Amino acid sequence: MQTGEMNASDPQIERRLEQLHVWGPYALLGISSLVAVASVLIADGVTADPADWYSAGGLIAAATVLQLWWHGTRYRRADRGRSPSRAGTAYYVVRWGIAFSLTVINPFFAFYAATGYMDADELIPGMWRRLGLLATSVIVAGAQVGGLPVGSTAEWLGFVGLLFVNFGLQAFVAHITEQEERRSKERAETIEALQQALDENAALHAQLLVQAREAGVADERRRLAAEIHDTLAQGLTGIIAQLQVVANAPDLDIAHTHLERASDLARHSLGEARRSVHNLAPVALEDDGLPEALKKTVAEWGERTGVRAEFTVTGTAQLLHEEVAATLLRIAQEALSNAARHARASRLGVTLSFLVDEVILDIRDDGVGFDPLALPARTRTGGFGLDGMRARAERIAGHLTVESEPGHGTALSARVPLVRHDQ
């Protein structure tokens, strides 16, 4: 059976069980009455005592009134009488008394007494329902041996055996039913817990999406800020330096040369700005690998600043992943920019080392140096100088170290994983 069919059939099964519990006692009372009357009428030589007729009629009327009362009480309750209660237990006991009395008059009223098998679990709480089943089995077993009260020893032996069989069967069925109800309740609780967990997971997922979106926005802002600092700010600084030379140039040829450099820097900075916005690789890496790009960058920096600058590659050069190459190039550019502004060096060396699983970028100068612990608070905690370079290295699982001392130059080393272009 498909799940949809099972779900669709559940209300129908519930409705039929409800009809059985409501109308079953009426039907069994009616059947018992008809069979009892028929047994008297067709029995040869049997004349019923008028007192038995009156007693049976009164008991049947009492049973009908009792059913009408319980029918109304049942439908006034929110659970339709499905949960054990004092009223339900009282109804069960009174009905049992009527059924016992009717069965004493005529054994065929045991059909009505069998109603106690159907609803003991709904009317009687806990283990007391076993007592209700036993009481019902007494009536049924008595009817099966010929009626109550039991007379001869043989009838007593038959009564005890039948009582054992009837009660044993009903107790076994009740035990199976209770186990199934317990499992159903546990399944319902498990489903509810799973649904709650799913709801919590959905809420957590939505929260994580919001946090991831916010983190992405913040990361993109930091990236753009660092790119602007590494490209536009450095380019503008270079342009200003060239224009200052032009302002103090002794002749037009020197001024023209520095104006061309300023123009080149402006075009270069514009291209870098466009690439930063679109998160593309730096201009220097557009046609060359990292070693060639670093070589050109160092040479142009040396020419622009007048500092003797050297670039060296050690190990077997590899074609690096775009992100790794761009990160190392940006770190080198920032380090060169810092050296130009603060180092006052006469020599600077840049070394790119390819190891088995690591790439190391070393930048050393013989400038004035500095005390790393004495840097301004913004530079240590929120600027785009050393912290910016360190953040770039850590973004690709690398790290950056700086060694410097006043009067003894500066050594900067960035170590990042070697990730090839095809990985």
Side-chain angles (χ1 to χ4, degrees), residues 183-201:
R183 283 193 292 266
S184 298
K185 183 178 180 180
E186 291 174 353
R187 283 195 295 267
E189 292 175 350
T190 301
I191 292 173
E192 183 179 358
L194 288 174
Q195 185 60 48
Q196 183 178 0
L198 289 174
D199 294 340
E200 292 176 355
N201 285 339

Side-chain angles (χ1 to χ4, degrees), residues 166-179:
N166 280 281
F167 176 69
L169 288 174
Q170 294 303 320
F172 175 74
V173 172
H175 177 70
I176 298 299
T177 302
E178 289 172 355
Q179 282 189 330

